Amino acid sequence: QLQASGGGLVQAGGSLRLSCAAFGRTFSSYNMGWFRQAPGKEREFVAAITWGYDITYYADSVKGRFTISRDNAKNTVYLQMRSLKPEDTAVYYCAGGPRGWSIEREYDYWGQGTLVTVSS
């Protein structure tokens, strides 16, 4: 029901925009989030956006470089990533849920992940 896309290989300092499209369900009344999992590490929170008022919240590691946004008409959430660093390399997952925020278990729906590789 959630499909993430937009990952790829980028040089350090570059930009990528990830997309998360929802199918079969309207996510306009759900909070949406992005998480990532680097090789050998636990999955971690990246960013979240509320269903109303588009209030956003970011992990300290990406604050000022990443921007989460949503287009409810397109049932899609975006993660604009700028000034990418090698440590941003990970599989990025989108998630949705009425009570979702910065913790994995708060989310009910998950996308399959898209790989972002940042070369130095």
Side-chain angles (χ1 to χ4, degrees):
Q1 293 180 321
L2 294 176
Q3 184 170 341
S5 62
L9 174 64
V10 63
Q11 288 189 333
S15 300
L16 277 177
R17 188 177 79 158
L18 305 183
S19 299
C20 175
F23 300 94
R25 175 182 294 271
T26 298
F27 282 80
S28 58
S29 60
Y30 284 15
N31 292 349
M32 300 296 293
W34 286 96
F35 290 75
R36 67 185 181 186
Q37 187 167 20
K41 294 187 177 182
E42 298 286 323
R43 190 155 59 181
E44 64 177 4
F45 169 76
V46 175
I49 186 168
T50 60
W51 69 269
Y53 302 105
D54 287 351
I55 296 170
T56 59
Y57 179 58
Y58 298 93
D60 287 343
S61 59
V62 306
K63 199 174 296 182
R65 300 188 298 121
F66 291 12
T67 302
I68 187 171
S69 61
R70 65 192 300 163
D71 185 337
N72 288 336
K74 296 182 179 179
N75 231 12
T76 301
V77 176
Y78 304 98
L79 185 68
Q80 178 68 53
M81 305 185 294
R82 298 181 177 88
S83 301
L84 283 161
K85 306 174 182 179
E87 51 264 45
D88 294 318
T89 294
V91 176
Y92 283 72
Y93 299 88
C94 60
R99 294 168 299 279
W101 200 230
S102 64
I103 300 174
E104 288 186 51
R105 63 175 180 270
E106 295 171 333
Y107 288 89
D108 300 304
Y109 302 96
W110 289 84
Q112 84 288 3
T114 185
L115 177 63
V116 173
T117 304
V118 184
S119 63
S120 56

